[in-house]
Amino acid sequence: MEEEDGVDDLENEFNWDGNESQYGAESLHGHMTYGRGGDLNGVQQPFQLNPNVPLLTNGQMVDDIPPEQHALVPSFMGGGGKRIHPLPYADPSLPVQPRSMDPSKDLAAYGYGSVAWKERMESWKQKQERMHQMRNDAGGDDGGDDDLPLMDEARQPLSRKIPIPSSQINPYRMIIIIRLVVLGFFFHYRVMHPVNDAFALWLISVICEIWFAMSWILDQFPKWFPIERETYLDRLSLRFDKEGQPSQLAPIDFFVSTVDPLKEPPLVTANTVLSILAVDYPVDKVSCYVSDDGAAMLTFEALSETSEFAKKWVPFCKRFNIEPRAPEWYFQQKIDYLKDKVAASFVGERRAMKREYEEFKVRINALVAKAQKVPEEGWTMQDGTPWPGNNVRDHPGMIQVFLGQSGGLDCEGNELPRLVYVSREKRPGYNHHKKAGAMNALVRVSAVLTNAPYLLNLDCDHYINNSKAIKEAMCFMMDPLLGKKVCYVQFPQRFDGIDRHDRYANRNVVFFDINMKGLDGIQGPIYVGTGCVFRRQALYGYDAPKSKKPPSRTCNCWPKWCFCCCCCGNRKHKKKTTKPKSEKKKRLLFFKKEENQSPAYTLGEIDEGAPGAENEKAGIVNQQKLEKKFGQSSVFVTSTLLENGGTLKSASPASLLKEAIHVISCGYEDKTDWGKEIGWIYGSVTEDILTGFKMHCHGWRSIYCIPKRPAFKGSAPLNLSDRLHQVLRWALGSIEIFFSNHCPLWYGYGGGLKFLERFSYINSIVYPWTSIPLLAYCTLPAICLLTGKFITPELNNVASLWFMSLFICIFATSILEMRWSGVGIDNWWRNEQFWVIGGVSSHLFAVFQGLLKVIAGVDTSFTVTSKGGDDEEFSELYTFKWTTLLIPPTTLLLLNFIGVVAGVSNAINNGYESWGPLFGKLFFAFWVIVHLYPFLKGLVGRQNRTPTIVIVWSILLASIFSLLWVRIDPFLAKNDGPLLEECGLDCN
């Protein structure tokens, strides 16, 4: 029989069950995301909802549908039974193709005339009439339809992707392809035309250039699909946080880590904690955990003072809606603080609060001054007992709940978020894994006490600058279409207190505004260590949920697209055998979660339903597997099975605190998967890269969120030495990952890591090795100028064409990259300069230090000695701190200055013909000098007179020596025989 391709599925046209509703939402989300409809005759039509088409829901929230299934479902029937085009065709004026019907067939074959079809139509008509009547009754005569879009707003997606305009991204991609082609011809010429009289220089330069090309490819192609994102906080509130109703927003646990209060001032940590406690989020959903890995009584007392000040600060912030909510930075703002403030009492209360904060600062400063001199008997607490953390390397675990359910109310009687002090146990002989170990301890403590499904970690110097930042993240995490596969939402790092010119590229604008946007279009940005909202289940080593294929709307039987599809589907489902309940329970033991379930299991409940001794034995085995994976804590193991969070209702606070002390003991992680497959991954000082890499290998994706107001702000090192040491630490961590089992070059194949995402991770662990060819390449100009040789032969017209084409492509790539990303040329140029400065100093030392650590087990360190400074703004920028990291770039600068002087002097000596070959060498040398200029400026800053005099005289003497040598050398070459005879030497 003939198939009828034009027959519609009438049964499913009006019957949207749960799965199909979700599929329809996905389709709508896709079109709403890009603002486009269908492709009609090759022309993209704008997506518009016909206002005359009634919605199946008519703007009403259906109470029996869970929020994650709410979606806008358009009707396919217009008024009077007129056929309306289904999505994405939204124009009712377009002709509808009539369906061909075989007159010889019964109408029932098409679904018409059957009893089921008539009943379905009558039911649908009655439902539509009731919904229209309800809408008209609610809306009255004027304005009923005006509220319809607002009511349906709660069903829209919570975020959308904004692709880079094709006019910006397509030329960028084209120039990348052209640059690849030009590179091929360039290297063909370079390899096929060696320089015989300078073969060593030619060979070194070619090897360096090939390495640079490979590094460029690893860095460039992960930026092939850059995107931006937009969130809808109003939709989030309509769906999960309606006024007058209990908030349905998910709870979140904040982690703040600190070690040494003398290097990380308690006032800075206090401002971070205060900004968390005052965040714009339901207070019963927020818990703040502060990890004190130095077990300092100063941190403990400062946190106690902070909790008291928070009782005044938090209500002040929420009453007047101020930003930022870190008092130090709020009162330092050089803006009109009265803007948008209408409350008459604001000025007086702000003045009083500023006085309160100044008194709070005095109390914190007094604690810091007191802590400068440690008593011989150690610190004692207010009750006279010794402080348990007097021995930093040998002390028990400590937990103190300052605020929360135990009665922490603000000055207005409102509840405050929970604030918990945590210091994990330290004993000699254990590897505590530094920050990664402290973060894992917080994961376990928070799971026992609050067990929020989401976590946010901040460094102690990163405060919340945007009080709505958590809601921004929840627009992705709680999105029913996107959120299930999101492991974390990463925010860019922004900084305070950096000089306007950002001399040492502290802001990392190129990385955060170009590279990370590119990764967001693939599988998501890498984790950068702070300002990141995690899904707790992703930290537990679970695989990402598999995306379900949408249900097929067709069947293989005849006729196609007919009424019998549902019947066939039902018959097929009936043939499937039902699994026993015991098997369904056991699925939980392998960490496969259902999408919409909210389990509340204990270990005793997991294996219910399997009778007899076999079930008891299986339960013991499964419990042993869980405890081997997560550790010997039944409460914590139970919490790992609660996908939507929550704690045991039957447990008392005292028992939970006891269990929390147990999970931060130093031996808890022995023979478990902590640091290997669970939590923050051990094995590198840059544990953030490893942790994000493991999640992406499990198939998760991450999201890059850039709110208009920066979500978090922190502090960055200002002077050159501190900046180089920071970069050294990052590079050393990459070298450690390179030699580890988790190296992206060979780990994670066959998992969920995408190809271009792997490129970015390979680039993140290979970049320090670029320091070796970079150092050699920066030395070549000086050698060429001093020896008179060069790395290329004399160029012909074709060779000049390829050289010029390559330079043009390099500049064009950078310009187009700045165009689509919005990065300024000054930030781009600072990044290029510091790439050279850091490459020949910090990265180079990281390579050798990493090799010593891996091969010989030697862990070296570089000391920094402060020489002075002043009290002016940005005074630290001009502070000179000598460190061994300054030796390589200083040497390169001197060599190239000497080479320039020697080359120019030689050209003056030899006449006009020698100037032509000199220009290429001078360009090469000036390229090095210009890139190292910020380094030179850091050495000869306005406050450093002694280094300035030393460097200036060194360059002057070197130039004079070079000039004299160039002038004496020809004389010696002509008169070497007579001179040697006069000295009594035989010329032969």
Side-chain angles (χ1 to χ4, degrees):
M1 295 184 180
E2 217 173 340
E3 290 189 0
E4 300 290 343
D5 293 333
V7 177
D8 292 328
D9 188 358
L10 294 179
E11 171 66 14
N12 290 320
E13 185 174 41
F14 307 116
N15 182 21
W16 295 77
D17 58 19
N19 291 332
E20 291 175 348
S21 175
Q22 186 175 358
Y23 178 53
E26 290 175 356
S27 300
L28 179 64
H29 177 259
H31 296 294
M32 296 291 284
T33 295
Y34 296 99
R36 299 180 182 270
D39 191 359
L40 300 177
N41 300 324
V43 179
Q44 291 289 343
Q45 300 296 329
F47 176 85
Q48 294 178 350
L49 286 178
N50 189 349
N52 298 321
V53 180
L55 303 178
L56 289 180
T57 60
N58 291 302
Q60 302 298 322
M61 294 294 293
V62 183
D63 295 335
D64 57 348
I65 299 178
E68 55 269 13
Q69 292 187 9
H70 286 167
L72 194 64
V73 183
S75 170
F76 296 153
M77 298 293 292
K82 183 181 178 181
R83 181 71 179 174
I84 300 299
H85 282 280
L87 291 177
Y89 304 99
D91 190 355
S93 64
L94 294 174
V96 181
Q97 296 295 331
R99 297 188 303 169
S100 58
M101 299 176 63
D102 189 351
S104 62
K105 297 178 184 178
D106 186 10
L107 288 177
Y110 297 95
Y112 294 108
S114 64
V115 176
W117 180 80
K118 291 180 179 179
E119 292 178 352
R120 178 69 65 181
M121 284 294 299
E122 291 297 329
S123 174
W124 178 81
K125 288 180 180 179
Q126 293 175 6
K127 182 178 179 181
Q128 288 294 95
E129 290 176 359
R130 289 196 302 269
M131 297 296 286
H132 276 290
Q133 185 63 34
M134 290 173 59
R135 184 186 62 177
N136 293 333
D137 293 342
D141 296 332
D142 48 354
D145 290 337
D146 295 340
D147 296 333
L148 180 60
L150 295 177
M151 290 185 285
D152 281 310
E153 187 78 9
R155 304 180 183 210
Q156 300 297 321
L158 301 179
S159 64
R160 73 181 182 107
K161 289 191 294 185
I162 307 177
I164 304 299
S166 57
S167 61
Q168 296 180 7
I169 197 64
N170 287 342
Y172 175 67
R173 291 170 177 166
M174 288 175 60
I175 203 67
I176 291 173
I177 300 300
I178 295 173
R179 182 172 172 180
L180 275 176
V181 175
V182 173
L183 268 176
F185 285 102
F186 171 80
F187 282 120
H188 178 268
Y189 172 81
R190 292 285 281 129
V191 173
M192 299 303 295
H193 294 79
V195 182
N196 295 323
D197 60 341
F199 187 81
L201 297 178
W202 168 84
L203 181 62
I204 293 173
S205 65
V206 170
I207 293 174
C208 293
E209 288 163 1
I210 292 175
W211 180 271
F212 296 151
M214 295 301 297
S215 299
W216 171 75
I217 290 174
L218 289 174
D219 179 69
Q220 185 66 67
F221 279 93
K223 296 183 282 190
W224 190 262
F225 302 104
I227 62 170
E228 295 178 345
R229 295 184 184 271
E230 186 177 48
T231 57
Y232 302 104
L233 298 181
D234 51 347
R235 296 177 184 175
L236 181 77
S237 299
L238 284 172
R239 186 176 295 184
F240 297 106
D241 196 22
K242 291 183 179 180
E243 190 175 354
Q245 298 182 14
S247 176
Q248 297 180 12
L249 291 172
I252 183 169
D253 292 336
F254 290 79
F255 295 168
V256 179
S257 57
T258 181
V259 180
D260 188 352
L262 299 180
K263 294 181 179 179
E264 300 167 331
L267 189 62
V268 174
T269 305
N271 272 271
T272 300
V273 171
L274 289 169
S275 69
I276 293 172
L277 298 178
V279 71
D280 185 7
Y281 208 74
V283 292
D284 58 325
K285 309 282 186 178
V286 175
S287 300
C288 177
Y289 294 83
V290 179
S291 170
D292 178 18
D293 224 29
M297 189 173 177
L298 172 58
T299 303
F300 181 86
E301 291 185 337
L303 207 58
S304 177
E305 290 285 350
T306 303
S307 66
E308 292 299 318
F309 178 71
K311 296 177 181 179
K312 303 174 183 177
W313 173 252
V314 172
F316 171 76
C317 293
K318 294 187 176 182
R319 186 163 60 252
F320 297 108
N321 194 27
I322 66 168
E323 296 283 1
R325 300 190 177 181
E328 182 70 21
W329 299 105
Y330 170 69
F331 290 120
Q332 280 188 10
Q333 289 183 114
K334 297 178 180 179
I335 61 173
D336 180 14
Y337 64 85
L338 296 177
K339 184 179 180 180
D340 300 328
K341 298 295 185 291
V342 295
S345 61
F346 173 69
V347 175
E349 291 197 36
R350 183 184 186 275
R351 190 177 294 115
M353 183 53 61
K354 186 175 183 181
R355 180 181 179 85
E356 291 281 354
Y357 177 65
E358 290 172 349
E359 293 175 356
F360 167 73
K361 286 177 66 175
V362 169
R363 294 194 295 271
I364 296 295
N365 292 337
L367 293 174
V368 174
K370 179 182 176 183
Q372 298 298 319
K373 186 177 180 180
V374 182
E376 295 181 0
E377 65 278 4
W379 299 107
T380 56
M381 302 178 71
Q382 292 182 356
D383 59 359
T385 58
W387 171 247
N390 278 325
N391 189 339
V392 177
R393 295 179 177 83
D394 186 5
H395 64 83
M398 295 177 283
I399 296 177
Q400 176 65 45
V401 180
F402 286 108
L403 298 173
Q405 297 178 353
S406 58
L409 302 178
D410 61 25
C411 60
E412 298 179 356
N414 300 317
E415 184 181 352
L416 287 170
R418 186 189 300 254
L419 176 61
V420 184
Y421 169 88
V422 179
S423 182
R424 57 180 173 147
E425 182 184 18
K426 294 283 188 72
R427 299 298 179 193
Y430 286 90
N431 187 355
H432 300 289
H433 302 288
K434 299 180 180 178
K435 180 182 176 181
M439 298 305 296
N440 284 337
L442 288 184
V443 171
R444 296 192 294 271
V445 168
S446 63
V448 171
L449 296 181
T450 51
N451 196 32
Y454 302 106
L455 316 171
L456 187 149
N457 83 293
L458 290 172
D459 289 342
C460 64
D461 60 341
H462 276 70
Y463 64 90
I464 298 180
N465 183 65
N466 182 353
S467 62
K468 298 184 184 295
I470 314 307
K471 291 183 178 180
E472 297 272 359
M474 290 304 163
C475 285
F476 301 105
M477 287 295 195
M478 300 185 70
D479 192 292
L481 302 178
L482 176 69
K484 291 294 181 180
K485 296 194 69 174
V486 176
C487 57
Y488 60 81
V489 177
Q490 178 66 63
F491 292 88
Q493 292 186 19
R494 305 300 189 206
F495 301 98
D496 282 316
I498 297 177
D499 64 300
R500 183 168 58 89
H501 300 291
D502 192 16
R503 182 182 297 174
Y504 307 123
N506 279 292
R507 292 190 177 94
N508 283 327
V509 176
V510 172
F511 174 74
F512 285 113
D513 289 358
I514 297 181
N515 295 66
M516 297 286 267
K517 287 181 181 179
L519 291 176
D520 199 17
I522 306 172
Q523 198 176 350
I526 63 175
Y527 168 44
V528 298
T530 184
C532 186
V533 178
F534 285 96
R535 182 181 300 275
R536 187 183 286 271
Q537 294 291 308
L539 281 170
Y540 289 158
Y542 296 128
D543 289 335
K546 303 294 182 182
S547 55
K548 294 181 179 180
K549 293 184 179 180
S552 175
R553 301 294 299 274
T554 64
C555 65
N556 294 326
C557 59
W558 180 90
K560 194 172 182 180
W561 292 93
C562 71
F563 173 79
C564 66
C565 290
C566 290
C567 302
C568 294
N570 292 336
R571 285 198 297 269
K572 290 178 182 178
H573 287 301
K574 288 178 182 178
K575 291 180 181 178
K576 293 183 179 180
T577 57
T578 305
K579 292 184 179 181
K581 293 183 178 178
S582 59
E583 291 188 28
K584 294 181 180 178
K585 293 284 186 177
K586 289 179 182 177
R587 289 171 61 191
L588 295 171
L589 300 176
F590 296 95
F591 319 113
K592 295 180 180 179
K593 303 287 192 299
E594 297 296 334
E595 286 191 5
N596 296 323
Q597 74 182 64
S598 54
Y601 307 111
T602 62
L603 285 175
E605 295 174 343
I606 293 173
D607 292 301
E608 285 184 2
E614 293 183 1
N615 177 56
E616 184 178 354
K617 183 178 180 181
I620 295 174
V621 172
N622 288 322
Q623 181 173 347
Q624 290 174 349
K625 288 182 179 179
L626 290 169
E627 291 185 348
K628 183 178 180 181
K629 184 181 182 73
F630 292 106
Q632 300 291 324
S633 171
S634 60
V635 176
F636 174 72
V637 170
T638 302
S639 71
T640 63
L641 301 176
L642 307 178
E643 182 179 359
N644 296 326
T647 57
L648 298 177
K649 302 296 183 183
S650 58
S652 64
S655 62
L656 290 179
L657 278 174
K658 183 178 180 181
E659 194 69 22
I661 291 290
H662 168 61
V663 297
I664 60 172
S665 59
C666 55
Y668 181 84
E669 295 182 355
D670 292 348
K671 299 180 181 180
T672 66
D673 288 345
W674 284 100
K676 303 170 188 174
E677 300 291 334
I678 302 174
W680 271 255
I681 307 302
Y682 303 149
S684 170
V685 294
T686 52
E687 69 288 330
D688 44 6
I689 296 179
L690 271 180
T691 303
F693 174 63
K694 290 283 287 186
M695 292 183 187
H696 284 138
C697 286
H698 280 286
W700 296 93
R701 77 152 292 130
S702 54
I703 297 292
Y704 195 50
C705 180
I706 312 179
K708 292 182 180 179
R709 180 181 177 87
F712 310 99
K713 282 191 175 182
S715 58
L718 280 178
N719 65 73
L720 178 62
S721 300
D722 290 346
R723 174 68 167 142
L724 290 177
H725 274 271
Q726 182 190 55
V727 175
L728 170 64
R729 179 181 175 275
W730 295 342
L732 178 59
S734 296
I735 295 295
E736 291 173 339
I737 297 174
F738 182 86
F739 287 108
S740 71
N741 296 328
H742 294 105
C743 179
L745 286 169
W746 50 75
Y747 181 86
Y749 288 96
L753 188 66
K754 294 185 178 181
F755 182 69
L756 288 179
E757 191 79 12
R758 183 179 296 277
F759 261 40
S760 71
Y761 277 109
I762 292 175
N763 184 50
S764 70
I765 58 103
V766 167
Y767 78 89
W769 297 96
T770 307
S771 61
I772 297 175
L774 183 60
L775 180 67
Y777 210 69
C778 290
T779 309
L780 287 177
I783 297 176
C784 291
L785 286 166
L786 290 172
T787 60
K789 304 180 185 300
F790 200 46
I791 58 176
T792 62
E794 186 175 349
L795 301 179
N796 54 31
N797 292 335
V798 176
S800 301
L801 176 65
W802 294 125
F803 273 82
M804 291 299 297
S805 299
L806 181 59
F807 283 119
I808 291 173
C809 287
I810 291 173
F811 286 118
T813 305
S814 302
I815 291 171
L816 292 174
E817 200 168 71
M818 288 184 284
R819 181 168 174 249
W820 66 253
S821 66
V823 173
I825 190 171
D826 52 344
N827 288 315
W828 176 84
W829 176 239
R830 292 301 185 197
N831 182 78
E832 290 294 310
Q833 289 179 313
F834 196 79
W835 176 75
V836 176
I837 296 172
V840 298
S841 56
S842 299
H843 298 172
L844 184 68
F845 276 76
V847 168
F848 289 109
Q849 186 176 353
L851 290 173
L852 286 173
K853 186 175 182 180
V854 172
I855 298 174
V858 178
D859 191 5
T860 57
S861 60
F862 304 99
T863 58
V864 180
T865 304
S866 178
K867 298 298 182 182
D870 60 20
D871 295 328
E872 298 179 14
E873 187 178 12
F874 306 125
S875 62
E876 194 179 351
L877 179 67
Y878 309 104
T879 302
F880 180 74
K881 298 180 180 180
W882 175 255
T883 171
T884 49
L885 296 177
L886 301 177
I887 294 176
T890 305
T891 305
L892 283 176
L893 271 174
L894 290 175
L895 280 176
N896 280 278
F897 271 122
I898 292 172
V900 169
V901 174
V904 172
S905 300
N906 190 38
I908 294 173
N909 250 3
N910 295 335
Y912 176 77
E913 293 181 355
S914 61
W915 283 97
L918 178 65
F919 283 129
K921 303 171 188 178
L922 287 178
F923 174 80
F924 202 8
F926 278 120
W927 180 89
V928 177
I929 294 172
V930 168
H931 277 78
L932 292 175
Y933 173 73
F935 168 80
L936 176 64
K937 196 171 181 180
L939 291 181
V940 297
R942 63 182 184 183
Q943 304 295 323
N944 306 315
R945 296 183 179 179
T946 303
T948 303
I949 294 173
V950 171
I951 291 175
V952 170
W953 275 104
S954 298
I955 295 175
L956 183 62
L957 291 175
S959 302
I960 294 173
F961 172 77
S962 302
L963 183 63
L964 292 174
W965 174 257
V966 170
R967 290 192 172 277
I968 293 174
D969 183 55
F971 174 78
L972 292 177
K974 294 178 181 178
N975 304 285
D976 54 351
L979 285 175
L980 292 174
E981 289 178 0
E982 290 178 9
C983 296
L985 299 175
D986 187 0
C987 297
N988 298 322

